[in-house]
Each structure stands twice: as structure tokens, then as C-alpha cells.
């Protein structure tokens, strides 16, 4: 077994840990937080909109 | 940077507004720059080196129109989902659903292609160092998993990382150009020897347009980050248009170096033309730098694609175009975490099971369908909300000329794709037609129709 074989196993292992960490965190967040809160985001509005709608287009 | 709106029972979690123009530049150029390292040169195979240069500039015009149009509309519709949110507000739900699918398909397929290439690069290096038959799959999986993890943990870190590795890959292209000694034509680069006219005539130039897309494919992805910009009205136009200028420079330099060092018959089928160009010089540090540039460009592209595909999927979930479960924001990292995780297995399967040219052609065609939409979209946008009725962060010049030019060039690229990949073109059109029927007859009944239109714009003219 050379360094490349070790690298192959290391890649499988690290990728597996990262994916499992994300899934575990996703499950934890789903259990700890209210679903309505997690789904509460609204489409963004830039400050341009807030100023622009009051004043119209800058000429 | 306010992201949580507190209130009695009305607390909200939104995406973080932390990005600036440099992040937008890193996102847009990062997705595209891999096309300079590989892929663009297949346009040489279609029509010769001169045809590739013509395609480079003609498609550059197409993408300049895309960048200008996108910058204007996105500076007003500052929402995750980019062109999806634009289509929803300007044309309607069915168009928006299709545009979102184009985006998810284009970016997920491109991510899969990049991860595959990164794995294959490791296999090539191992082969050159004496280890034959390295299994590239764990490297491909690690690329997807690591970049998804990075995206999961926060957009600021993700796009700062993208900015740095993209800048390094761009410097590698500039370094290669300088080392060829462009002030001494005929010494290292010998265009007189290698430029042989148009071997397949003007039809070869038309055929080259399809792979000419590689020089710029994905720059429109900057719009997906609009909701996370501190000031979308400033960051999106600045990041996108400077990104487009960067890419036109990088594309021209890439063509100049490669077409002056290699005959078109070889260049037209090479897998890593810039790395091959560095190899011709026999300069080991330059070779190593170009290898790093190639690897970084694939990582930057895959990273940007994960960012963009997840935002498009998240936006559809938020509007119930897809199950609302996908519209969740992580309470700590403020990222669309469920959309990011959901797209991982799709990218892995595409990287492992689908042929690379098929993956890339699906990505190009999905992008092209999106660009065609943009030409109609901006025309309707200007008609419904003329200048002076809403605030725009950027106003693109010469309207409607860019929209008309964009539409004509899209038709030309459809024809070019039909010449080489008619089966892909037809199958993807059939897919989107079936998806549209599914959405109209089944899915749209779950959408809360009033909630999806969020922009506080005045009533449009003529309605």
C-alpha cells in the first residue's frame, strides 16, 4: 500500500465524515428549532428599493 | 448586517447580508475560469483556431449582453434565485419554474463535471508519479462533500475562499502569457506557422459557437447572491461587469498562447490545453503553477455552482414551487442548508454515472435556455416598469439593442448545438415541456399565490 492508496482511503473517510456531519446537524436543527422559524425568511429587499419607492427614479 | 427580525412571535431568520463586489467577482469568474483551462479548445476542433477566436469574441458579445441585462434587473430584484425571482415578478410563475430548473440543472451538472475533472487530475498526477490506475472516485466525492460543507457553514467564508483560489488561477493564466514573451512574436509563440485559416469554412465558425460558450459559461451566476449582498444595487453590477472584463481578457490571452504554441489538430482535442502549453516550455515551476491553476479553477467552479444551485432550489422551496421544507435557513450559519444537502447525491450520481460531454452539454443548453428568457424578460421589464418608475442600481445602455443581439446570438448557438448534439437538444426540450405540464397541473395548486410576489413595486403600466 503506497501513499496514493492511503490518500484514496483518507478521501473516502473525510468525505463520509463531512456528509454525516451535515446530515446530523440538519437533523439536530430540525429537532431543536420551530419549523415555522426555519421557514420564515422572506425575499431580500435592497436599501435601493426602500429609498427608490419613496422617491422614484433618480434623474 | 441585520438578519434576524425579532418580534413577539414574529421572529424571522434571513440569509446573511455580508457580500461585497469582490465576492461577486469571485463567484462569477470562479464559476467560469475553468473554461479557459479546458473545454474552450473544442471550438478549435470544430472550425480551426481562427474560428475559435471569432467564437470567443462573438460569444463574448452574447455574455456582455447577459451581464448588462442581468445587472440592471438584479439590481432591482435583489433576491436569492436570481433569474428565477426576476421571471416570477416580471413574466409569471410557469416561466419562473422553468428558469429555476434551468439554473439548478446548469449548475448541478457543471458542479458534477468539475468534480469529475478534479478527480481525474489527481489520477493523471498519480500516473505521472508512477501509480497507475488510481481510483478517482474518492477524490471526486471529497471535492463535492468538502465544498458542500463549506457552503453549509456560511456564505462569507465560501465566497472569500472562492475569491482567493480564483485570483490565483487567473494569475497563473497571466503568468503563462508573460512567459511566452508576447513582445517577441515568432520566438516562443508562432501564430504564422499555426494559423491555417478556416479548415471547414464559415460553417466551422458557426459550429465553434457552441464550445465558445465555455469561455464565459456561468458569469450570470452572480445574480444568485443578490439577497446576500450588503448592497445588491452596487455589488452585482460592479462584480458582474468587472468579472466579464476579466473573462474577456483571460479568454483572449488563453487563445493567444495556446493557438501560438500548438497546431489546431492537436489543440482541438486536448484535455488540458493550458497545462500542455506550460509543458511545451519545459519549465517545471511554470508547469506546477499551471497544475495548481487548473485544480483551483475546477474547485472554484464547483464551489460557485453549489452556491448557485442551492439558492435556486431554496427559492423554489420558499415559494412552494417545490416542497416548502427546502426553503429553510440555518439558524446559526444563515445558509439554505437543506437545499445544499439535498443536491449532494444528485451531483455525485451525475459525476459518477453520466458521460462528461453529456453533463456539460446539458449544462450549456440549460444556460442557453436561460439567456433566451433574459432577452424577453428585460424587454417586458422596461415595458412594465419604465425608467423613472422604480429605483435601479444600474441602467444598461442602448436598450433594446442588447436584448435583440442576445436573442439572435442565442438562436445561432441553438443551431450550432443542433449540428453536433441534436439528440441532447431535443431531449432537454422534451424534459422541460413535461416538467412544465407537471408544474401547471399538479404543483401550482400548493403555491400561495399572493405570497410569492414580494417586491414593493408600483403597479405596472398597462395592467
Amino acid at each position: 500500500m503506497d501513499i496514493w492508496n492511503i490518500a484514496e482511503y483518507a478521501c473516502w473517510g473525510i468525505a463520509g465524515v463531512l456528509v454525516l456531519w451535515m446530515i446530523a446537524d440538519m437533523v439536530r436543527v430540525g429537532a431543536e428549532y420551530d419549523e415555522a422559524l426555519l421557514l420564515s425568511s422572506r425575499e431580500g429587499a435592497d436599501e435601493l428599493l426602500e429609498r427608490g419607492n419613496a422617491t422614484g427614479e433618480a434623474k | 448586517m441585520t438578519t434576524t427580525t425579532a418580534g413577539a412571535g414574529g421572529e424571522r431568520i434571513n440569509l446573511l447580508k455580508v457580500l461585497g463586489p469582490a465576492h461577486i467577482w469571485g463567484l462569477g469568474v470562479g464559476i467560469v475560469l475553468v473554461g479557459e483551462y479546458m473545454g474552450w479548445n473544442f471550438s478549435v476542433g470544430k472550425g480551426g483556431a481562427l474560428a475559435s477566436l471569432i467564437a470567443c469574441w462573438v460569444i463574448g458579445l452574447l455574455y456582455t449582453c447577459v451581464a448588462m441585462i442581468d445587472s440592471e434587473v438584479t439590481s432591482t430584484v435583489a433576491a436569492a434565485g436570481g433569474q428565477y425571482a426576476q421571471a416570477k415578478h416580471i413574466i409569471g410563475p410557469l416561466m419562473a419554474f422553468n428558469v429555476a430548473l434551468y439554473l439548478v440543472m446548469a449548475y448541478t451538472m457543471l458542479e458534477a463535471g468539475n468534480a469529475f475533472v478534479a478527480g481525474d487530475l489527481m489520477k493523471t498526477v498519480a500516473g505521472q508519479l508512477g501509480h497507475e490506475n488510481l481510483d478517482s472516485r474518492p477524490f471526486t466525492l471529497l471535492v463535492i462533500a468538502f465544498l458542500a460543507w463549506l457552503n453549509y457553514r456560511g456564505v462569507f467564508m465560501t465566497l472569500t475562499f472562492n475569491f482567493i483560489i480564483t485570483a490565483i488561477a487567473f494569475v497563473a493564466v497571466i503568468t503563462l502569457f508573460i512567459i511566452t514573451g508576447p513582445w517577441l512574436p515568432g520566438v516562443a509563440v508562432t501564430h504564422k506557422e499555426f494559423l491555417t485559416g478556416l479548415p471547414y469554412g464559415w460553417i466551422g465558425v458557426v459550429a465553434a459557437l457552441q464550445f465558445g460558450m465555455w469561455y464565459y459559461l456561468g458569469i450570470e451566476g452572480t445574480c444568485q447572491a443578490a439577497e446576500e449582498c450588503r448592497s445588491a444595487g452596487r455589488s452585482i453590477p460592479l462584480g458582474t461587469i468587472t468579472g466579464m472584463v476579466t473573462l474577456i481578457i483571460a479568454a483572449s490571452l488563453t487563445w493567444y498562447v495556446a493557438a501560438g504554441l500548438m497546431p489546431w489538430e492537436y489543440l482541438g482535442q486536448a484535455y488540458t490545453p493550458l497545462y500542455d502549453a506550460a509543458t511545451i516550455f519545459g519549465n517545471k515551476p511554470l508547469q506546477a503553477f499551471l497544475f495548481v491553476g487548473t485544480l483551483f479553477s475546477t474547485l472554484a467552479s464547483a464551489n460557485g455552482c453549489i452556491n448557485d444551485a442551492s439558492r435556486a432550489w431554496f427559492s423554489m422551496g420558499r415559494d412552494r414551487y417545490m416542497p416548502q421544507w427546502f426553503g429553510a435557513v440555518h439558524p446559526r450559519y444563515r445558509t439554505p442548508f437543506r437545499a445544499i444537502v439535498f443536491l449532494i447525491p444528485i451531483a455525485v450520481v451525475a459525476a459518477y454515472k453520466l458521460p462528461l460531454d453529456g453533463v456539460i452539454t446539458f449544462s450549456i443548453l440549460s444556460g442557453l435556455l436561460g439567456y433566451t428568457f433574459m432577452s424577453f424578460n428585460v424587454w417586458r421589464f422596461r415595458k412594465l416598469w419604465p425608467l423613472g418608475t422604480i429605483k435601479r442600481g444600474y441602467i444598461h445602455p442602448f436598450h433594446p439593442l442588447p436584448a435583440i443581439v442576445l436573442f439572435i446570438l442565442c438562436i445561432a448557438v441553438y443551431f450550432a448545438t443542433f449540428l453536433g448534439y441534436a439528440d441532447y437538444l431535443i431531449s432537454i426540450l422534451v424534459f422541460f415541456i413535461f416538467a412544465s405540464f407537471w408544474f401547471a397541473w399538479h404543483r401550482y395548486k400548493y403555491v400561495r399565490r399572493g405570497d410569492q410576489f414580494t417586491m414593493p413595486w408600483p403597479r405596472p403600466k398597462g395592467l
Side-chain angles (χ1 to χ4, degrees):
Chain A
M1 181 180 283
D2 65 8
I3 187 139
W4 289 104
N5 295 118
I6 295 168
E8 283 176 24
Y9 288 118
C11 287
W12 285 122
I14 296 168
V17 168
L18 291 173
V19 171
L20 287 176
W21 183 89
M22 283 187 278
I23 292 171
D25 186 71
M26 192 172 71
V27 171
R28 182 189 62 78
V29 166
E32 282 185 11
Y33 289 85
D34 182 17
E35 189 69 5
L37 177 66
L38 298 178
L39 300 177
S40 63
S41 82
R42 289 289 173 267
E43 272 186 341
D46 202 30
E47 76 278 9
L48 279 168
L49 295 171
E50 289 147 25
R51 280 190 270 127
N53 287 318
T55 59
E57 188 90 31
K59 299 285 170 57
Chain B
M1 206 192 288
T2 305
T3 54
T4 303
T5 312
E11 197 178 12
R12 277 190 184 165
I13 304 174
N14 288 316
L15 299 176
L16 270 181
K17 284 187 179 294
V18 290
L19 303 179
H23 296 103
I24 300 303
W25 180 92
L27 174 62
V29 178
I31 291 175
V32 184
L33 200 62
V34 67
E36 262 64 314
Y37 277 88
M38 60 190 76
W40 68 271
N41 54 302
F42 296 134
S43 62
V44 176
K46 291 283 182 182
L50 274 180
S52 177
L53 183 62
I54 295 169
C56 169
W57 288 342
V58 169
I59 299 297
L61 181 61
L62 182 153
Y63 276 93
T64 303
C65 295
V66 166
M68 289 197 305
I69 289 170
D70 250 359
S71 292
E72 176 175 331
V73 184
T74 309
S75 72
T76 307
V77 187
Q83 293 86 357
Y84 156 77
Q86 298 174 15
K88 187 177 66 176
H89 286 90
I90 297 167
I91 295 187
L94 184 59
M95 187 76 243
F97 172 76
N98 275 284
V99 169
L101 278 190
Y102 306 157
L103 293 167
V104 173
M105 285 276 289
Y107 292 120
T108 306
M109 292 297 115
L110 201 54
E111 174 200 345
N114 282 310
F116 173 84
V117 169
D120 208 52
L121 274 174
M122 297 311 295
K123 185 176 182 176
T124 305
V125 171
Q128 288 175 352
L129 296 176
H131 182 97
E132 299 296 331
N133 301 320
L134 180 79
D135 185 359
S136 62
R137 291 176 307 158
F139 296 91
T140 298
L141 180 65
L142 181 60
V143 166
I144 293 173
F146 170 71
L147 295 176
W149 175 79
L150 202 60
N151 273 272
Y152 190 104
R153 299 270 301 191
V155 71
F156 185 82
M157 180 172 63
T158 301
L159 294 189
T160 301
F161 173 73
N162 231 45
F163 174 79
I164 293 168
I165 61 176
T166 301
I168 291 170
F170 181 63
V171 169
V173 174
I174 301 285
T175 305
L176 178 63
F177 174 71
I178 291 171
I179 284 181
T180 58
W183 52 88
L184 294 171
V187 176
V189 285
T190 51
H191 291 96
K192 275 188 183 172
E193 185 184 335
F194 291 127
L195 288 185
T196 52
L198 298 172
Y200 303 123
W202 283 97
I203 193 70
V205 176
V206 175
L209 291 178
Q210 182 203 351
F211 287 106
M213 299 274 286
W214 276 80
Y215 285 113
Y216 313 100
L217 181 70
I219 182 67
E220 75 283 1
T222 53
C223 301
Q224 299 295 324
E227 195 166 323
E228 291 153 283
C229 287
R230 289 189 293 267
S231 170
R234 175 173 174 269
S235 298
I236 296 290
L238 197 55
T240 307
I241 292 176
T242 53
M244 194 59 217
V245 171
T246 307
L247 290 172
I248 290 174
I249 293 169
S252 300
L253 299 188
T254 298
W255 179 91
Y256 178 87
V257 171
L261 286 172
M262 290 171 266
W264 75 272
E265 295 91 337
Y266 174 80
L267 185 57
Q269 48 79 48
Y271 282 109
T272 51
L274 280 192
Y275 181 72
D276 293 349
T279 307
I280 288 171
F281 280 97
N283 181 333
K284 291 288 178 194
L286 181 67
Q287 234 176 305
F289 194 21
L290 263 291
F291 171 76
V292 169
T294 308
L295 186 61
F296 279 9
S297 67
T298 58
L299 294 180
S301 185
N303 195 30
C305 287
I306 293 172
N307 181 88
D308 284 2
S310 61
R311 267 62 181 177
W313 195 256
F314 159 78
S315 300
M316 283 205 289
R318 188 162 61 178
D319 291 331
R320 301 184 182 215
Y321 284 34
M322 286 291 164
Q324 199 186 10
W325 188 80
F326 293 115
V329 173
H330 197 287
R332 181 176 174 196
Y333 305 125
R334 304 299 168 84
T335 53
F337 65 117
R338 288 174 179 164
I340 291 169
V341 174
F342 172 72
L343 293 173
I344 292 173
I346 297 173
V348 172
V349 169
Y352 282 177
K353 298 292 181 189
L354 300 181
L356 185 61
D357 65 334
V359 165
I360 297 302
T361 303
F362 271 123
S363 184
I364 288 176
L365 280 172
S366 299
L368 196 57
L369 286 165
Y371 308 148
T372 313
F373 142 77
M374 280 179 205
S375 56
F376 293 105
N377 186 53
V378 73
W379 174 80
R380 189 169 159 82
F381 181 56
R382 283 284 184 101
K383 184 168 178 280
L384 296 182
W385 291 279
L387 298 182
T389 56
I390 52 174
K391 183 77 177 176
R392 290 162 160 88
Y394 168 79
I395 298 170
H396 81 273
F398 311 123
H399 177 78
L401 191 60
I404 294 168
V405 171
L406 176 59
F407 181 73
I408 292 169
L409 291 177
C410 283
I411 298 297
V413 182
Y414 281 123
F415 179 66
T417 308
F418 183 77
L419 292 177
Y421 292 89
D423 48 347
Y424 282 97
L425 181 61
I426 292 166
S427 59
I428 201 166
L429 288 176
V430 169
F431 168 77
F432 280 115
I433 289 168
F434 274 104
S436 297
F437 279 120
W438 175 80
F439 178 75
W441 287 342
H442 173 68
R443 187 67 214 173
Y444 194 60
K445 63 176 178 275
Y446 298 107
V447 176
R448 285 184 183 164
R449 299 178 191 197
D451 286 0
Q452 59 183 322
F453 301 109
T454 57
M455 290 297 150
W457 290 347
R459 189 178 177 80
K461 302 253 176 188
L463 290 180

